[in-house]
Amino acid sequence: MVGNEGKSFPWNAKIPDGPLEEKWNLFKRNSRLISPNNRKKFKIIVVGTGLSGSAAAATLAEQGYQVSSFCFHESARRAHSIAAQGGVNAAKNYKNDGDSVIRMFRDTLKGGDFRSREANVYRLAECSIPFIDLAVSQGVPFNREYGGYLENRSFGGVQVSRTFYSKGQTGQQLLLGAYQTMMRQVHLGKVQLYTNVELLDYIIIDGHAKGIVVRNLLNGELEKHSAHAIVVASGGFGKIYYLSTLALGCNATAVWRAHKKGALFANPSWTQIHPTSLPQTNSYQSKLTLMSESLRNDGRIWVPKSKDEKRPPAEIPEEERDYYLERKYPSYGNLAPRDISSRAAKERIDLGFGVGPLKNAVYLDFKDAKKTLGEEVLRARYGNLFDMYKKITDVDPLTEPMLISPSAHFSMGGLWVDYELMTNVPGLYAIGEANFADHGANRLGANSLLQASVDGYFILPATLPNYLYDKVDSNLVSTDHPSFKEAEETIQKEIQFYTNANGKKLIDEYHKELGKILYDSCGLKRSKSELESAVKTIQNLRNEFLSGNIRIPSDSFTKNAELEKAGRMKDYLELAELMCLDALLREESCGAHFRIEHQTEDGEAKRDDKNFQFVSCFEWSGDASRPILHREPLSFEFFLPQNRDYQ
């Protein structure tokens, strides 16, 4: 069902030559520079104020650029980065347990099932070391040992302790560090902050990104902004599944509309299902709550061995419990990677061993850790997570096991970018979860905050001059340019379509339907027949939506949440089909993409490196059902692909 396929990959990933450990240094040594006096001549737009967006805006402004920062919240610090809990990785080897940059590189490449670029992954590990020092200098209150040294813990997919954390609030504390750094630049007049606005279109002139059109969410007015370069830092699209760990406002519009203006979309089907979310309890829920993966350091995951078990968990003896992760993956146990842990949980639940009122969960039990470590130590490590769980469920997890379940969480796919974080559209960059760059087919825990941070603080500020250096005398495109007017008219027509519609169906009803289709057919397990069926169902759902069977309040010039949802839903209905088409073409199992036709005898993912060792890059053709596929080949020189064995 994919349209024409490019015969060769026509874009340059710009990976530097030289030894792996020298690539980033060689790049910085040979990259272009812009003098301090000239930086103030450039205007940069940053879309999004999460960890990557705030870090980029603050750093670029500190360097002297004029920065305009946009977010759809009323405050920049409400970005979803604040919800990240467990920690941020860095290969500092503080525990002296054998960690190093090369080990972190290997863990991350293996964790992503050898579906990411070696050079990008090594740079991520390399940049982790100075980032922790930067965060400490900002006042981020990382947990410390008794003597004052920074504390570390482990996350899934690794056998060392490299995760720095601030109880269960690491994302919040890192975002506050980036936010205060950015707000300093706002008060100095170097960053102009626009809140309560949503990006609706990009302006591409002569093939280069030159501006954006946004809608003021308070008064409905369209606003036009031009720039010398645009940075997309809008996060991931996991909320497409409706029930997910993401906030209600998270969406795909900023990345999807960049795609429709020419930016390649890479690996759209690689969406991570997190193993430790609170389970769904009723049909009225609009999101699920994340419980940090860090809990698996001390909690043990199990289900009863009997499908008919009705006793409370405390009354089930040890010999009647199935600690299935410890049984199947003894080397990693409860710290097996997320994709593997989620599939293992779903397998137990689907076979009838699930627990909880809806039989849709497994136990995460701290009984043994409480005996060995004591309640005081556990509360010091996970106190706010325990408090959150008790507030939601009215159960103390130190007296009764947590109920956890897999839930849609993180997008490994996103806008294609080269080594410099620029999309194939010159002047348009994508950072953080908005791009596809570092995680391959599965993200290891605590690498999300790391990637967002280093993209914004270290990488983008070093690569942006390569594009801008010869444009010192280039004037900003006037917002009276015909391209701005054309985009404005297109947006107005779209808004009129929504507000004139006289249907009966709410946007949330479409979202729920779409989410169920994706979770059932393009979630933890996938098959050719189910994916083909999902494509047809999504097409029918999109046709119903576009026929006008939607109900939206008609006022487009005041705060109108349903109107916002409508535009985002249209983008979701196009992206969802691309996700399924990508999953269909990839006749292998790798990381978060598990095709039931391609598994080993013991039920593990079976990769096909001969035919599918590439990044699937899709070009918009004008028809959501016929994207144009391009393949970026992946080559491995420093760490050859191997069986992803965690047993």
Side-chain angles (χ1 to χ4, degrees):
M1 283 180 257
V2 175
N4 296 329
E5 181 174 341
K7 299 302 180 184
S8 61
F9 193 71
W11 294 278
N12 181 6
K14 300 178 186 173
I15 298 171
D17 294 328
L20 181 66
E21 62 274 12
E22 285 297 317
K23 287 183 184 294
W24 180 230
N25 287 329
L26 287 171
F27 172 86
K28 290 187 290 184
R29 195 178 305 157
N30 298 317
S31 65
R32 301 286 186 169
L33 296 176
I34 300 173
S35 71
N37 288 336
N38 283 334
R39 291 175 201 157
K40 61 187 177 184
K41 298 178 182 179
F42 291 105
K43 182 179 177 182
I44 314 298
I45 283 175
V46 180
V47 180
T49 58
L51 193 48
S52 63
S54 290
T59 308
L60 293 173
E62 185 77 36
Q63 291 181 336
Y65 297 99
Q66 301 177 57
V67 179
S68 294
S69 180
F70 295 81
C71 74
F72 61 76
H73 294 297
E74 69 275 10
S75 169
R77 65 181 183 184
R78 286 199 62 198
H80 193 61
S81 300
I82 206 166
Q85 296 171 351
V88 57
N89 285 333
K92 280 189 168 285
N93 196 31
Y94 278 2
K95 292 287 187 180
N96 196 28
D97 56 359
D99 202 10
S100 63
V101 169
I102 194 69
R103 188 178 294 277
M104 184 173 172
F105 157 73
R106 289 174 174 169
D107 285 344
T108 302
L109 204 62
K110 176 183 174 183
D113 222 348
F114 297 93
R115 291 294 177 262
S116 49
R117 299 185 191 129
E118 282 188 320
N120 287 68
V121 174
Y122 190 89
R123 180 176 63 183
L124 179 73
E126 186 179 7
C127 289
S128 71
I129 294 176
F131 168 65
I132 295 301
D133 299 330
L134 172 64
V136 170
S137 72
Q138 291 177 335
V140 174
F142 288 121
N143 273 45
R144 294 179 180 267
E145 296 176 337
Y146 179 77
Y149 295 103
L150 297 182
E151 178 64 283
N152 293 132
R153 58 190 177 199
S154 295
F155 259 60
V158 305
Q159 293 178 310
V160 296
S161 296
R162 69 164 63 106
T163 305
F164 294 77
Y165 64 100
S166 182
K167 290 190 176 180
Q169 304 170 330
T170 315
Q172 180 187 51
Q173 299 303 329
L174 290 176
L175 180 59
L176 289 175
Y179 168 77
Q180 69 184 7
T181 306
M182 181 181 72
M183 291 307 294
R184 177 175 178 271
Q185 299 301 318
V186 170
H187 290 298
L188 290 173
K190 296 180 179 180
V191 172
Q192 190 165 6
L193 179 61
Y194 296 86
T195 59
N196 286 303
V197 294
E198 181 168 30
L199 181 144
L200 293 182
D201 207 355
Y202 296 87
I203 305 303
I204 311 297
I205 299 174
D206 296 330
H208 290 247
K210 294 296 184 180
I212 61 174
V213 179
V214 301
R215 179 175 177 269
N216 187 309
L217 299 180
L218 298 181
N219 61 26
E221 296 289 343
L222 298 183
E223 301 171 3
K224 300 171 287 185
H225 301 268
S226 63
H228 293 94
I230 300 169
V231 180
V232 184
S234 57
F237 53 87
K239 188 61 185 171
I240 196 171
Y241 286 85
Y242 189 71
L243 283 177
S244 77
T245 65
L246 278 73
L248 297 182
C250 295
N251 62 85
T253 291
V255 292
W256 188 249
R257 300 203 178 186
H259 171 58
K260 293 179 74 171
K261 279 300 183 76
L264 298 177
F265 209 103
N267 301 330
S269 67
W270 290 349
T271 306
Q272 183 172 82
I273 308 296
H274 198 288
T276 54
S277 162
L278 297 193
Q280 182 180 4
T281 58
N282 60 65
S283 60
Y284 303 104
Q285 281 182 255
S286 55
K287 80 174 297 292
L288 299 173
T289 302
L290 175 68
M291 287 284 109
S292 170
E293 180 182 23
S294 62
L295 293 166
R296 296 198 281 151
N297 273 282
D298 294 306
R300 300 179 70 192
I301 296 173
W302 62 279
V303 293
K305 290 183 177 179
S306 171
K307 297 180 182 180
D308 301 320
E309 185 60 70
K310 293 181 173 59
R311 289 172 292 179
E315 296 179 12
I316 302 175
E318 286 291 316
E319 61 272 15
E320 296 181 37
R321 300 181 178 197
D322 179 13
Y323 294 93
Y324 57 88
L325 288 177
E326 298 173 30
R327 169 172 56 82
K328 295 182 69 174
Y329 309 102
S331 294
Y332 286 76
N334 296 296
L335 286 175
R338 289 178 175 179
D339 57 326
I340 289 172
S341 300
S342 292
R343 281 198 298 272
K346 189 176 190 300
E347 177 189 63
R348 294 291 91 195
I349 292 168
D350 289 349
L351 289 173
F353 295 98
V355 298
L358 300 182
K359 300 292 184 182
N360 62 344
V362 298
Y363 288 128
L364 178 58
D365 197 338
F366 293 89
K367 174 175 65 76
D368 293 339
K370 186 177 176 181
K371 287 180 182 177
T372 56
L373 298 173
E375 183 171 332
E376 184 177 347
V377 171
L378 289 175
R379 291 202 182 277
R381 291 179 180 176
Y382 313 111
N384 67 301
L385 295 171
F386 291 158
D387 291 343
M388 187 190 311
Y389 185 86
K390 189 174 190 305
K391 189 173 289 187
I392 295 170
T393 65
D394 199 29
V395 171
D396 183 349
L398 288 181
T399 61
E400 186 177 324
M402 284 184 174
L403 294 177
I404 59 167
S405 181
S407 173
H409 180 59
F410 187 91
S411 312
M412 280 78 68
L415 294 177
W416 181 88
V417 292
D418 59 25
Y419 188 75
E420 299 181 19
L421 303 185
M422 188 163 71
T423 70
N424 58 298
V425 177
L428 181 64
Y429 292 77
I431 61 176
E433 198 177 348
N435 72 34
F436 87 105
D438 295 346
H439 305 297
N442 172 63
R443 176 175 66 80
L444 291 185
N447 271 350
S448 172
L449 292 177
L450 176 64
Q451 185 217 350
S453 299
V454 301
D455 277 5
Y457 285 123
F458 300 144
I459 300 173
L460 180 71
T463 62
L464 190 60
N466 272 358
Y467 173 73
L468 295 176
Y469 79 95
D470 60 353
K471 299 174 178 61
V472 171
D473 296 322
S474 298
N475 295 322
L476 286 175
V477 172
S478 170
T479 55
D480 292 327
H481 190 280
S483 296
F484 278 97
K485 184 177 181 180
E486 181 183 345
E488 206 173 9
E489 290 174 350
T490 301
I491 294 169
Q492 291 287 16
K493 288 179 182 177
E494 183 180 359
I495 291 173
Q496 287 172 5
F497 168 76
Y498 297 140
T499 54
N500 292 340
N502 194 27
K504 298 180 179 179
K505 201 166 179 178
L506 294 172
I507 301 300
D508 282 348
E509 294 179 67
Y510 281 99
H511 200 170
K512 285 181 181 180
E513 284 185 51
L514 181 65
K516 189 174 189 316
I517 294 167
L518 288 176
Y519 191 81
D520 291 345
S521 303
C522 195
L524 279 166
K525 293 187 178 181
R526 305 155 182 197
S527 69
K528 181 178 180 180
S529 60
E530 288 189 349
L531 286 166
E532 289 176 340
S533 175
V535 168
K536 294 177 182 177
T537 307
I538 291 168
Q539 290 172 346
N540 292 335
L541 193 64
R542 186 170 66 242
N543 289 336
E544 181 187 356
F545 181 91
L546 294 176
S547 73
N549 185 22
I550 51 179
R551 191 172 74 197
I552 295 173
S554 61
D555 192 350
S556 62
F557 294 102
T558 60
K559 181 70 175 171
N560 189 336
E562 292 303 306
L563 180 59
E564 298 166 33
K565 290 180 186 177
R568 297 167 187 173
M569 193 65 226
K570 179 175 179 289
D571 298 331
Y572 277 153
L573 286 165
E574 293 172 342
L575 171 56
E577 185 173 357
L578 185 64
M579 292 169 64
C580 294
L581 292 174
D582 182 39
L584 259 175
L585 74 88
R586 196 170 281 276
E587 291 279 355
E588 66 165 351
S589 291
C590 59
H593 171 66
F594 190 86
R595 285 282 295 270
I596 62 174
E597 305 96 330
H598 305 287
Q599 55 183 305
T600 62
E601 291 182 0
D602 54 354
E604 300 298 330
K606 188 175 182 181
R607 268 193 346 258
D608 182 353
D609 293 334
K610 180 180 178 181
N611 296 304
F612 294 96
Q613 194 168 288
F614 62 82
V615 178
S616 52
C617 306
F618 293 93
E619 180 183 353
W620 177 255
S621 69
D623 181 350
S625 297
R626 296 192 62 79
I628 301 169
L629 173 65
H630 303 275
R631 306 176 189 230
E632 180 196 347
L634 291 171
S635 59
F636 297 92
E637 179 183 354
F638 303 97
F639 186 32
L640 299 180
Q642 56 184 232
N643 288 334
R644 194 164 168 248
D645 183 9
Y646 290 96
Q647 297 178 350

